[in-house]
């Protein structure tokens, strides 16, 4: 009876985790709308999306019935995540504007695909029990899940340096924190160290991002306001200069007519 209730509770938490994870995967959407409108990736980094892609790939492998049984919810959400990240990376590839960066993105995606293929072949040919496969793939999942949660570290460094959170999307940070928290709870029913450890670490990284956002939110507003003021001043100066040049041209023309 207790086991049945625990399984039901685990399934409910897993469904909630699927919803929050979907929000996490979709949270960069406003960023990519901005990229499409401006036709430039500006200072945004592709690292979080590349890290999320490999993370989803290894978790789909982990959730297969022949690797870790009764993990359907893990497969569904990470399979969805793969499709979403492919769309985002395609947009980033189109608008990055730098050939070198495009080559790097292509090379990383090719490397990730090859890695998953090799891992799957090795696991299914050399290991013949779900316990052994769970152990092998689970360790890999731990590594890449921590990498995904730690991928915004480069952005966090830029936030501290510039005192601006302009290029650290708020909702991505919130969704990352909530996602890690829910999947940590899911991993405790029953205890799954390969899910609990990386998601527990993810909670800490997500909390750190939210603290940074709170610390530099006001300074970001000031920086953006000053930037708009400067651009307005430059525009006004250009208009005045243009008007003065027109006046000079008209005066010269009148003198020539005389």
């Amino acid at each position: 009876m207790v086991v049945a209730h625990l399984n039901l509770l685990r399934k409910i938490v897993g469904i909630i985790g699927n919803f929050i994870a979907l929000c996490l995967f979709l949270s960069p959407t406003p960023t990519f709308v901005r990229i499409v409108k401006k036709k430039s990736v500006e200072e945004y980094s592709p690292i979080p999306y590349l890290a999320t892609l490999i993370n989803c790939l290894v978790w789909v492998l982990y959730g297969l019935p022949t690797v870790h049984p009764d993990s359907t919810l893990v497969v569904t959400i990470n399979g969805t995540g793969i499709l979403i990240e492919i769309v985002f990376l395609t947009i980033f590839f189109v608008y990055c504007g730098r050939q070198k960066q495009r080559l790097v993105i292509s090379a990383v995606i090719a490397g990730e695909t090859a890695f998953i293929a090799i891992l799957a072949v090795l696991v299914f040919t050399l290991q013949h029990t779900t316990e052994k496969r769970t152990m092998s793939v689970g360790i890999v999942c731990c590594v890449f899940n921590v990498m995904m949660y730690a991928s915004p570290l480069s952005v966090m460094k830029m936030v501290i340096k510039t005192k601006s959170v302009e290029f650290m999307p708020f909702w991505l940070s919130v969704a990352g924190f909530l996602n890690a928290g829910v999947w940590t709870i899911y991993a405790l029913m029953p205890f799954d160290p390969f899910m609990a450890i990386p998601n527990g670490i993810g909670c800490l990284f997500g909390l750190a991002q939210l603290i940074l956002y709170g610390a530099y939110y006001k300074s970001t507003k000031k920086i953006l306001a000053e930037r708009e003021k400067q651009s307005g001043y430059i525009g006004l100066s250009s208009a005045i200069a243009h008007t003065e040049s027109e006046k000079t041209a008209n005066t010269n023309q009148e003198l020539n007519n005389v």
Side-chain angles (χ1 to χ4, degrees), residues 2-258:
V2 175
V3 175
H5 282 301
L6 188 64
N7 287 334
L8 177 61
L9 183 60
R10 184 174 186 263
K11 186 173 289 186
I12 292 171
V13 173
I15 292 171
I16 295 171
N18 266 239
F19 176 74
I20 294 176
L22 181 62
C23 293
L24 171 65
F25 294 140
L26 292 174
S27 60
T29 301
T31 299
F32 283 90
V33 170
R34 172 175 170 167
I35 287 173
V36 172
K37 284 182 178 179
K38 293 199 170 187
K39 300 187 186 306
S40 170
V41 298
E42 300 180 286
E43 296 300 319
Y44 290 108
S45 170
I47 294 174
Y49 313 107
L50 291 167
T52 303
L53 178 61
I54 185 63
N55 180 70
C56 289
L57 287 168
V58 294
W59 278 113
V60 165
L61 181 60
Y62 180 83
L64 293 177
T66 49
V67 177
H68 191 71
D70 302 319
S71 299
T72 304
L73 292 173
V74 175
V75 175
T76 53
I77 188 56
N78 284 286
T80 304
I82 291 171
L83 297 177
I84 293 171
E85 297 309 314
I86 288 174
V87 172
F88 285 162
L89 285 168
T90 301
I91 294 172
F92 202 99
F93 184 88
V94 171
Y95 293 108
C96 68
R98 286 174 286 180
Q99 188 63 27
K100 184 179 179 181
Q101 193 173 36
R102 287 178 177 174
L103 289 173
V104 170
I105 292 171
S106 301
V108 172
I109 292 175
E112 290 178 350
T113 305
F115 175 81
I116 290 298
I118 293 169
L119 178 62
V121 169
L122 291 176
V123 165
F124 288 124
T125 56
L126 300 180
Q127 297 179 320
H128 304 290
T129 63
T130 54
E131 289 80 9
K132 290 181 179 179
R133 291 171 180 172
T134 295
M135 174 71 75
S136 300
V137 180
I139 291 172
V140 176
C141 286
C142 271
V143 173
F144 284 110
N145 209 5
V146 171
M147 284 175 61
M148 183 193 77
Y149 286 125
S151 60
L153 282 175
S154 59
V155 180
M156 291 168 69
K157 181 181 177 182
M158 184 174 70
V159 168
I160 296 171
K161 185 178 179 181
T162 62
K163 293 181 171 47
S164 170
V165 294
E166 182 182 3
F167 296 105
M168 187 174 75
F170 174 71
W171 290 112
L172 181 60
S173 301
V174 172
F177 175 69
L178 293 176
N179 181 67
V182 171
W183 286 108
T184 300
I185 295 171
Y186 179 86
L188 299 176
M189 300 181 295
F191 182 65
D192 184 343
F194 305 116
M195 294 187 70
I197 293 171
N199 283 291
I201 294 172
C203 277
L204 297 177
F205 282 126
L207 182 60
Q209 289 177 58
L210 293 176
I211 291 172
L212 275 180
Y213 204 95
Y216 292 112
Y217 177 72
K218 288 185 178 179
S219 62
T220 303
K221 290 183 74 174
K222 288 180 181 178
I223 291 170
L224 292 176
E226 288 175 3
R227 187 186 301 166
E228 287 180 7
K229 190 184 295 183
Q230 288 176 358
S231 63
Y233 175 76
I234 291 169
L236 181 61
S237 299
S238 299
I240 292 171
H242 182 67
T243 303
E244 291 297 328
S245 64
E246 283 186 348
K247 285 181 179 179
T248 304
N250 290 335
T251 302
N252 290 336
Q253 186 175 358
E254 288 175 3
L255 290 171
N256 289 334
N257 290 336
V258 173

